[in-house]
Amino acid sequence: MTGLLRAESLKLRSVPLPRLMLILAALGAGFIAFVVVHTAKTEHTTVSPPNLVTAVAAPLWFLVVVVAVVASAGEFQHRTIQPTLLQIPHRGRLLLAKTLAAAAYGAIITLVGTLSAIVVGLISMHITATPTGPLHPQLVGTIAASAAIGALWATVAVGLGLLTRSTAIALVALLLWRFVLEGILPVITQQPHLTQWMPSRAADALLATHTDLLQPWAAGLLLATYTAAVIAAAAWLFNRWQA
Amino acid sequence: MARICFDHLTKRYGPVTAVHDLTVSLEPGKITGFLGPNGAGKSTTLRMLVGLTTPSAGTATIDGRPYAELDHPTRLIGAMTDSAVFHPRRSGRDALRVLCLLGGIPLRRADELIDVVGLTGAAARKVGGYSMGMRQRLGLAAALLGDPDTLVLDEPATGLDPAGVLWLRTVLRGLADQGRTVLVSSHLLAEMAQTVDDVIIISGGRLIAHGPISQLIGRTRSTSLEDLFFALVPKGTTP
């Protein structure tokens, strides 16, 4: 398994996109934090580090899923899946390695972006003398939750990439789900409480952004269940895929 | 030495039967040409052999076991199913290193094979900038990574210039001289005539002929492999 993990890691490191996204995560999250602080100063409100973490969560989500989808669906697009399966015909082990590598990358990119946002935000607050909100006593927990969410979303994206075998379809499906379906499903079903059971809201609950959401432990369990379901479906289909 | 057997191998895609009840085994230590018109089922057969496609019926085995059940398959059999299977933004060296890590093969093999196939100067370049011939060479390097006894190559001469074809012929002959078994499919009949010992000819997914090239030519009173091919394969099909 170590060799497979190293191989999947090298796959990510040896093409430009994951590196580019990592740089974008650091710079983009820093820029967003700067804007948040600037806005707070203008509006005479306060900003706390957990606010910075939640402010960059959605952009980092996008960067993570793009790389994870490209890492899985891209294997079919570029047909690199063929020599890969020639070397390792045991598809279950390959899927596990691919998922773990993408999850690690998802955690890293989220961690880098989150830390960048906090550092740039704190420096900006210090320079502009913006009132700093209370340093959340569970900031480390929030950062860890952010990284865990990055890992889970990367896993979901890998699964979706394997299910669709198309980078474009997988990304459109993810964006549609997050920004359209999660909003209209509770309306269509006339079940407003359905909102809190949606994956994105579960992720929000892990970051404790709202009080009307699930408890963090329940949200974590829910997000893990969604992830497991997507990966199980991907594994079922991947085992039946033929070149 | 690995022994390749196809036993009543069949592949159906809906109403279309791509490979029909193919039963044939390869002689170890020889270069066997796998010939047939477009759509004859050559690539499908080779993909079933290396586990990329699942047979509808029958088996394709290496030493009595399907490819997927081999512990370290690429140390037993090296395959090149297509030359367009490398990420265009990854360097040739990294493409081979990834495969080394996947197959549990020492990383130094990547550099060794890059030298063997003559890509030393281009190893650090992105595969997207490679010519067709260079990709074929990289594909051959990938097939050789595990130092296998048996090689399965699907259209390895496609896109090669005359010097490349000569190089490929020399490499294949050298591999056979080392006692390795080579199964190679190709459309280039004249080239195959100079390279292979035995031939398997299929058409419409069915076995048409199998045996040493000289015997088959003598038996059909043909003058060349091309004559033999067109004597056996229904007219209107192209190799």
Side-chain angles (χ1 to χ4, degrees):
Chain A
M1 183 51 78
T2 310
L4 295 186
L5 283 172
R6 286 178 65 199
E8 291 302 326
S9 167
L10 181 57
K11 281 182 185 177
L12 287 171
R13 286 183 285 116
S14 57
V15 290
L17 184 71
R19 286 199 300 273
L20 188 69
M21 290 301 187
L22 201 59
I23 294 166
L24 206 56
L27 297 179
F31 178 72
I32 290 168
F34 173 78
V35 171
V36 167
V37 171
H38 182 74
T39 306
K41 183 172 174 59
T42 308
E43 296 177 353
H44 304 292
T45 55
T46 59
V47 181
S48 65
N51 295 143
L52 298 170
V53 175
T54 54
V56 297
L60 291 176
W61 168 86
F62 182 70
L63 299 182
V64 165
V65 298
V66 165
V67 172
V69 161
V70 167
S72 56
E75 289 256 39
F76 297 90
Q77 186 182 334
H78 297 297
R79 301 162 77 180
T80 49
I81 193 67
Q82 288 191 28
T84 293
L85 286 174
L86 289 177
Q87 294 292 340
I88 172 75
H90 194 295
R91 299 183 184 196
R93 288 178 61 205
L94 177 64
L95 176 60
L96 180 62
K98 189 170 280 301
T99 303
L100 290 175
Y105 181 83
I108 289 169
I109 200 169
T110 309
L111 205 56
V112 166
T114 301
L115 292 176
S116 168
I118 292 171
V119 170
V120 172
L122 288 175
I123 291 171
S124 301
M125 282 186 262
H126 180 72
I127 291 172
T128 58
T130 304
T132 308
L135 200 65
H136 201 289
Q138 293 173 326
L139 179 61
V140 174
T142 307
I143 294 170
S146 177
I149 292 166
L152 287 172
W153 276 120
T155 307
V156 169
V158 163
L160 209 58
L162 290 174
L163 282 170
T164 60
R165 299 198 295 275
S166 161
T167 308
I169 293 173
L171 283 176
V172 168
L174 273 165
L175 290 170
L176 272 178
W177 176 265
R178 174 147 186 167
F179 296 111
V180 180
L181 287 174
E182 284 202 5
I184 63 170
L185 269 179
V187 178
I188 291 171
T189 57
Q190 296 182 330
Q191 299 288 329
H193 295 297
L194 198 61
T195 303
Q196 65 180 342
W197 299 95
M198 294 293 153
S200 300
R201 300 299 275 181
D204 289 345
L206 271 176
L207 294 176
T209 54
H210 298 83
T211 53
D212 59 337
L213 298 174
L214 296 173
Q215 290 292 314
W217 67 267
L221 196 61
L222 181 63
L223 203 51
T225 305
Y226 277 118
T227 306
V230 172
I231 283 296
W236 183 84
L237 198 69
F238 184 44
N239 276 322
R240 283 153 187 77
W241 177 81
Q242 299 186 44
Chain B
M1 190 169 299
R3 186 175 184 83
I4 292 174
C5 288
F6 302 109
D7 186 19
H8 298 290
L9 189 67
T10 300
K11 181 64 185 179
R12 295 183 205 91
Y13 293 102
V16 178
T17 302
V19 179
H20 185 87
D21 201 30
L22 181 68
T23 298
V24 66
S25 59
L26 260 63
E27 289 299 318
K30 286 188 175 180
I31 303 178
T32 302
F34 196 29
L35 308 179
N38 286 330
K42 302 186 299 293
S43 294
T44 304
T45 302
L46 298 184
R47 283 164 199 267
M48 285 193 280
L49 176 65
V50 295
L52 293 175
T53 298
T54 310
S56 303
T59 56
T61 56
I62 301 117
D63 281 347
R65 295 164 69 194
Y67 189 88
E69 291 179 11
L70 299 172
D71 294 330
H72 296 287
T74 50
R75 293 179 192 175
L76 204 58
I77 179 167
M80 179 180 134
T81 54
D82 197 333
S83 63
V85 290
F86 298 103
H87 197 295
R89 307 298 298 274
R90 189 173 284 138
S91 73
R93 177 179 284 117
D94 280 341
L96 293 185
R97 283 181 172 172
V98 164
L99 297 179
C100 284
L101 289 169
L102 286 167
I105 298 162
L107 286 175
R108 61 177 164 73
R109 282 291 289 167
D111 289 322
E112 288 173 12
L113 265 302
I114 280 168
D115 289 342
V116 168
V117 299
L119 286 175
T120 310
R125 279 169 46 193
K126 307 289 184 203
V127 175
Y130 281 17
S131 67
M132 183 70 171
M134 292 165 83
R135 290 179 200 206
Q136 294 283 34
R137 287 168 186 253
L138 189 63
L140 186 60
L144 289 166
L145 277 176
D147 197 19
D149 285 337
T150 303
L151 275 174
V152 174
L153 309 173
D154 194 6
E155 306 281 357
T158 303
L160 293 180
D161 58 16
V165 172
L166 179 62
W167 168 84
L168 179 67
R169 189 193 309 155
T170 309
V171 168
L172 293 184
R173 182 48 62 196
L175 292 169
D177 289 345
Q178 291 167 14
R180 301 182 207 238
T181 306
V182 182
L183 175 61
V184 52
S185 80
S186 178
H187 286 147
L188 306 175
L189 296 177
E191 177 51 36
M192 291 291 263
Q194 295 186 61
T195 309
V196 305
D197 306 304
D198 292 359
V199 288
I200 298 171
I201 302 176
I202 65 170
S203 180
R206 294 169 189 271
L207 181 67
I208 302 291
H210 173 219
I213 194 167
S214 53
Q215 274 186 24
L216 289 175
I217 287 175
R219 197 187 305 161
T220 55
R221 295 178 185 172
S222 304
T223 55
S224 65
L225 180 60
E226 193 172 84
D227 273 355
L228 170 72
F229 183 88
F230 286 112
L232 295 174
V233 173
K235 287 183 179 172
T237 54
T238 52

